[in-house]
Amino acid sequence: MLDALSKGAIKMKLIIAEKPDQGSTLASIFKNKKQNGFIEIFPNDTFTNGAYVTWAIGHLCQLVNPEAYEPGWKKWSLDNLPMIPAQFQYEVTKDKIRQFSVIQKLVNNPAVTEIIHAGDAGREGELIIRNILRITGCRKPMKRLWISSLTPNSIREGFNKLLDEDHTRNLYYEAYTRACADWVVGMNASRLYSLLLQKQGFSDVFSVGRVQTPTLALIVKRELEIENFKSEPFWEVIAHFNIDGKKYSGKWQNDGETRVKTKEMAEKVAAFCREKPAEVSDVQSERKEFFPPLLYNLSALQAEANKRYKFSPKKTLDVLQKLYQKGNVSYPRSDSRYVTKEEANTFPEILTKLSHINGYDKFFPLPIESLIDNKRYVNEKKVTDHYAIIPTEQIPNVDRLDPDEKKLYDLIVTSLIAAHYPKAIAEYTTVTTLVDGRAVFQSKGKVQIEEGWRKVINQKEKEDEPSLPQLTKGEQGRTVKVDVKESQTQPPKRYTEGQLITLMKTAGKHIEDKEMEKILSKTEGLGTEATRAGIITMLKDRKYIDVTKNLVYATAKARILIEAIGQEILASPEMTAKWEQKLKEISEGAASPKNFMEQTNKMVSHLISSGVGHSANWVFSEDVRENFTPSKKMTKGKGGTKLGKCKKCDGSIVDKGSFYGCSNYQKNQCNFTISKKILGKNITQKNVKLLLSEGKTELIEGFTNKDKTFNARLFLDEQEKRVKFLFEEQGSKTVTKS
């Protein structure tokens, strides 16, 4: 390395990227030589004396722990709260010290006279590189590389149009303030609620955060809505008509309502209508136009990939990052769904290349040649730091992409192609049929008039409306058959991970205060494009949520925390709205970081006094207490609570965290287990005790299978040593395996 640095008085530039592969990509367009922890670029037209490229490994530095400020703060005690440092300090993370040393030597090398900040073009990238330079004590002049794709053309153009350092400095102030405020809230609130809940018998670490906690509150709210929902039966009367050889069906309705509250009433209506004459009394048709979808930003792409392929938001971001590193797509963490005219001018070249790829060729020639004047897609005012996620001119060999990359790349490509197609037009028809001049039935149907962009993006939506024959008012026929269909009202559906991303982005919809709703819609809801996937992953890791078959469940731990926080602003989107507004103002140079931190400190002090005061009145249900499982760290060395005798050996059944199992597993490999969650219902310790002692549980309400809910007991089949469902109907038993 020293040989590479001994350049005497030659003036060289040091480029610092955010990640190793990014650094390699930036250097790859020049002749270069790889060294240990950096790359040497040889002299060229852009860097006449050559340059060095090195890199961070993501967040190379972190805010120090509380005990670094005050040794006494190491102890978790209410007496130590609030912990508010006079001056925040960063340190290099232990596992990244070697790479930091490489950067430090390069920064301090006399041959290096200018730094080029080449972190990701966003607030986190801004923070990562500037923090490193701060710790090295660097005082050398700096320029900013700001690019939205890693293609050779973009890299070369970016180096030729470097921004002045002050152009992005406020973005750094925002990111730094955000990190410090999150430290104050997280460190204090997590200790506060962990200590107070320990007094209630919940021995665990309860992590609390500015974004994760309001997100969790929304999930818990849905969990409670599902739990408190009382399913009720209803009936519908379905008639099948034959009008002059044309067959269709319709639902009976009364004052616009198709649901009948009693079976007797439904059967009466059906009996009245059977074999009676029928007449088409009204036909209403309405044409609807559907524009092609907007181009993707990260949240929209995460939601779509989850809906189509069950990708977690984190997986989508990781795969997208790979495509970005290869130069195949533009910057992944974009929050915009628009492009500028400059990008729109590159579309013809990109699309021409795509037209030669098998699978996309069938969509060409395009009905619309250019989007340059289409403000639905090309809108300078709606492009923030980055434009929408689009394919770059560096088209990959699609067959060589791995399956996940191929799926995401296809979504991005087809969204661009579809934008060059006309709107889709459908005709929706509502037919009213009168049976015997009295009973009113309604039928709905849809006819696709113009396929438009739907030729490109097959949405695979379930169409509620079947096709209807061509019917005219006044036509007559007969009612050939009438059915009575019994159904149950269904609870609200659980969020998928994709819907959770959308919910975080549009959290303003959950706010009654219209002013706050406006602020939150401007600041893009809870978290940022870059952080939402991480927040969901964090909620999983900290055992606040379970994701089963792509559905999000709040755990007992989550319910305990949100119940304890109650009406505190910490659990509300309103607080996040106010924070995000102020942070955005800091990035625009319109607000002071110092004032923001003062407000945060006041809020935390209030939270501590309020939390301590309210904790005496906390009451947690027996169900939540029984379902609570401390994390493994908190239960090391402790034997689990014995719930009953094992049915396979002489062991005991204990709570093992994610399931109930035999205490003898280590000793004799006994594999007798009972699931902790069956068809969406948590199986409490109380019911497991009943199952083991009496052979069956109490009646459990709200099992969910394929959008249907039902009530049942669980019973233990002694012969098969398996848990099964027990349905009790009019004295008889129906048994189904669980």
Side-chain angles (χ1 to χ4, degrees):
M1 174 175 173
L2 289 173
D3 291 341
L5 295 180
S6 56
K7 297 286 180 185
I10 294 174
K11 293 181 177 180
M12 298 184 72
K13 293 180 181 180
L14 171 62
I15 302 157
I16 308 178
E18 192 172 317
K19 303 174 191 78
D21 47 5
Q22 221 166 340
S24 298
T25 305
L26 293 175
S28 66
I29 67 166
F30 308 106
K31 282 189 177 178
N32 67 72
K33 183 181 178 184
K34 288 189 177 176
Q35 305 282 356
N36 192 10
F38 72 103
I39 298 169
E40 183 180 0
I41 292 175
F42 298 129
N44 56 71
D45 290 345
T46 305
F47 303 106
T48 50
N49 293 325
Y52 299 121
V53 178
T54 189
W55 44 81
I57 306 165
H59 283 274
L60 211 63
C61 308
Q62 62 187 13
L63 283 163
V64 300
N65 285 324
E67 57 269 27
Y69 300 108
E70 293 274 350
W73 285 358
K74 186 167 186 177
K75 185 185 178 189
W76 284 45
S77 164
L78 291 173
D79 296 336
N80 286 335
L81 304 181
M83 302 177 295
I84 298 172
Q87 184 68 46
F88 284 92
Q89 298 167 27
Y90 271 87
E91 64 183 1
V92 181
T93 55
K94 285 178 184 173
D95 59 336
K96 297 174 183 177
I97 285 173
R98 182 181 291 179
Q99 186 58 24
F100 176 77
S101 300
V102 171
I103 299 171
Q104 192 166 36
K105 283 180 185 173
L106 287 163
V107 166
N108 293 327
N109 175 34
V112 171
T113 56
E114 184 178 275
I115 310 294
I116 296 176
H117 178 331
D120 268 358
R123 59 169 74 87
E124 284 305 302
E126 200 65 37
L127 181 68
I128 287 168
I129 307 303
R130 287 195 190 242
N131 269 340
I132 293 168
L133 292 170
R134 216 171 131 214
I135 293 180
T136 62
C138 178
R139 293 284 179 271
K140 294 179 180 179
M142 187 176 91
K143 295 278 189 184
R144 183 64 160 104
L145 176 71
W146 192 276
I147 54 177
S148 285
S149 74
L150 287 173
T151 63
N153 285 347
S154 290
I155 294 168
R156 196 169 276 109
E157 195 177 328
F159 279 129
N160 289 329
K161 292 181 179 177
L162 292 169
L163 303 176
D164 289 332
E165 170 273 333
D166 62 0
H167 192 88
T168 57
R169 195 187 299 153
N170 284 330
L171 202 58
Y172 163 67
Y173 290 149
E174 181 204 340
Y176 181 75
T177 308
R178 182 184 291 271
C180 296
D182 285 352
W183 189 99
V184 170
V185 173
M187 287 294 179
N188 285 285
S190 297
R191 290 189 180 201
L192 171 71
Y193 285 102
S194 296
L195 291 165
L196 292 175
L197 287 165
Q198 272 178 30
K199 292 179 181 179
Q200 293 274 342
F202 303 114
S203 294
D204 207 342
V205 174
F206 285 83
S207 167
V208 177
R210 183 181 63 84
V211 179
Q212 72 173 47
T213 304
T215 302
L216 189 61
L218 291 169
I219 300 167
V220 169
K221 184 184 175 198
R222 176 54 56 95
E223 194 76 38
L224 293 172
E225 285 169 354
I226 293 168
E227 187 175 291
N228 296 326
F229 183 84
K230 296 292 179 197
S231 185
E232 293 178 356
F234 67 89
W235 289 262
E236 291 175 313
V237 183
I238 316 289
H240 303 268
F241 304 112
N242 186 331
I243 306 286
D244 199 20
K246 293 180 277 193
K247 296 175 183 178
Y248 65 100
S249 61
K251 279 184 188 178
W252 179 73
Q253 67 162 33
N254 184 26
D255 291 335
E257 180 56 67
T258 60
R259 293 178 176 185
V260 185
K261 289 184 179 177
T262 66
K263 188 177 182 180
E264 293 73 27
M265 178 65 178
E267 293 286 11
K268 265 188 188 175
V269 172
F272 170 79
C273 295
R274 285 187 182 108
E275 299 298 325
K276 293 281 173 63
E279 180 182 346
V280 177
S281 63
D282 191 30
V283 178
Q284 296 285 340
S285 290
E286 181 189 5
R287 280 196 171 207
K288 287 188 180 177
E289 298 180 343
F290 301 90
F291 287 96
L294 294 171
L295 301 171
Y296 286 115
N297 59 15
L298 178 58
S299 290
L301 190 56
Q302 285 170 321
E304 188 65 24
N306 180 262
K307 183 179 173 183
R308 284 179 180 251
Y309 308 121
K310 305 290 186 282
F311 283 11
S312 72
K314 184 180 184 300
K315 179 176 179 176
T316 296
L317 182 53
D318 290 346
V319 174
L320 204 51
Q321 184 71 25
K322 281 195 222 165
L323 289 168
Y324 171 64
Q325 294 296 157
K326 291 177 182 178
N328 302 141
V329 301
S330 62
Y331 184 68
R333 292 172 177 81
S334 174
D335 62 355
S336 176
R337 304 191 73 171
Y338 303 88
V339 296
T340 64
K341 287 199 171 186
E342 197 178 353
E343 275 72 54
N345 279 326
T346 68
F347 289 169
E349 181 196 345
I350 294 166
L351 290 161
T352 300
K353 290 179 179 177
L354 289 168
S355 70
H356 300 301
I357 295 175
N358 186 27
Y360 298 134
D361 52 355
K362 62 188 176 189
F363 302 131
F364 293 84
L366 296 171
I368 297 165
E369 285 184 17
S370 173
L371 297 180
I372 204 78
D373 296 317
N374 187 335
K375 287 204 168 176
R376 181 171 171 78
Y377 304 101
V378 185
N379 192 330
E380 200 99 23
K381 290 176 185 174
K382 292 191 177 181
V383 174
T384 49
D385 292 337
H386 297 280
Y387 47 82
I389 302 170
I390 55 172
T392 66
E393 74 275 9
Q394 196 166 303
I395 308 294
N397 181 332
V398 175
D399 293 330
R400 287 189 185 169
L401 293 175
D402 76 37
D404 292 340
E405 289 173 345
K406 200 171 180 178
K407 284 172 181 168
L408 281 194
Y409 188 69
D410 180 67
L411 286 178
I412 295 163
V413 166
T414 50
S415 77
L416 180 62
I417 294 174
H420 290 76
Y421 267 70
K423 53 198 171 192
I425 302 171
E427 189 172 78
Y428 290 82
T429 303
T430 303
V431 174
T432 305
T433 308
L434 210 54
V435 173
D436 202 30
R438 287 172 62 191
V440 178
F441 286 79
Q442 201 170 73
S443 315
K444 289 180 182 285
K446 173 191 160 189
V447 178
Q448 191 76 46
I449 307 292
E450 303 257 349
E451 190 179 23
W453 58 271
R454 290 190 192 273
K455 178 183 176 182
V456 183
I457 300 176
N458 178 10
Q459 292 210 307
K460 293 181 183 173
E461 300 278 332
K462 281 184 185 172
E463 293 292 356
D464 292 331
E465 298 86 5
S467 57
L468 281 172
Q470 195 72 41
L471 295 162
T472 312
K473 184 178 177 180
E475 284 189 286
Q476 296 184 347
R478 292 199 68 74
T479 312
V480 292
K481 186 183 173 190
V482 186
D483 300 320
V484 172
K485 181 184 169 189
E486 182 179 353
S487 300
Q488 295 269 339
T489 55
Q490 297 298 311
K493 290 185 178 176
R494 296 185 181 281
Y495 299 121
T496 64
E497 283 194 82
Q499 287 167 339
L500 201 49
I501 284 281
T502 307
L503 182 71
M504 291 174 78
K505 191 174 175 69
T506 61
K509 289 180 182 174
H510 295 264
I511 294 178
E512 290 171 18
D513 181 335
K514 290 295 166 193
E515 270 314 298
M516 281 298 104
E517 189 170 347
K518 280 181 199 168
I519 292 166
L520 207 50
S521 66
K522 278 183 198 167
T523 54
E524 300 294 352
L526 303 169
T528 66
E529 297 292 325
T531 60
R532 288 185 194 115
I535 292 291
I536 294 172
T537 302
M538 192 188 295
L539 291 174
K540 288 187 210 171
D541 292 344
R542 291 173 178 174
K543 308 299 180 194
Y544 284 129
I545 61 172
D546 287 329
V547 180
T548 307
K549 293 184 179 175
N550 200 34
L551 296 177
V552 179
Y553 295 81
T555 64
K557 182 178 178 179
R559 290 178 56 174
I560 289 161
L561 177 65
I562 298 304
E563 203 166 311
I565 290 174
Q567 298 304 308
E568 290 293 341
I569 55 171
L570 194 58
S572 72
E574 284 94 331
M575 186 207 76
T576 298
K578 288 172 181 170
W579 280 47
E580 293 295 346
Q581 183 190 32
K582 286 293 175 199
L583 285 163
K584 196 161 183 9
E585 286 171 9
I586 290 170
S587 74
E588 293 163 352
S592 152
K594 186 183 174 192
N595 289 347
F596 184 84
M597 288 307 301
E598 284 170 358
Q599 291 301 313
T600 302
N601 296 342
K602 278 183 190 171
M603 186 274 285
V604 164
S605 297
H606 164 78
L607 185 72
I608 291 161
S609 58
S610 172
V612 171
H614 288 143
S615 62
N617 302 317
W618 290 345
V619 178
F620 300 97
S621 68
E622 184 189 345
D623 185 47
V624 165
R625 284 186 177 277
E626 284 189 345
N627 272 292
F628 172 70
T629 306
S631 67
K632 288 175 184 173
K633 286 179 188 172
M634 305 299 290
T635 54
K636 261 188 184 172
K638 294 181 186 175
T641 308
K642 292 178 181 177
L643 303 172
K645 286 280 184 192
C646 176
K647 297 298 177 182
K648 280 194 174 181
C649 72
D650 61 353
S652 299
I653 297 304
V654 295
D655 189 331
K656 295 209 167 189
S658 55
F659 64 95
Y660 302 106
C662 181
S663 59
N664 277 349
Y665 178 73
Q666 298 285 353
K667 185 173 155 187
N668 63 11
Q669 301 295 297
C670 177
N671 63 357
F672 182 75
T673 60
I674 299 170
S675 297
K676 212 164 200 184
K677 185 169 279 179
I678 297 174
L679 295 186
K681 287 299 291 182
N682 289 323
I683 310 306
T684 65
Q685 289 189 5
K686 179 184 175 183
N687 271 319
V688 171
K689 285 177 185 174
L690 286 169
L691 196 60
L692 296 170
S693 61
E694 298 177 18
K696 64 182 179 180
T697 67
E698 57 193 12
L699 186 69
I700 300 171
E701 296 185 352
F703 289 110
T704 307
N705 188 19
K706 292 182 182 172
D707 290 340
K708 300 289 181 192
T709 60
F710 63 91
N711 307 330
R713 295 176 192 267
L714 297 177
F715 86 101
L716 204 53
D717 186 315
E718 292 281 355
Q719 279 190 322
E720 293 186 27
K721 304 286 188 278
R722 290 185 66 178
V723 177
K724 297 183 179 180
F725 288 119
L726 177 63
F727 300 97
E728 295 181 354
E729 264 185 285
Q730 298 168 352
S732 66
K733 293 182 181 179
T734 309
V735 174
T736 313
K737 290 182 184 178
S738 70

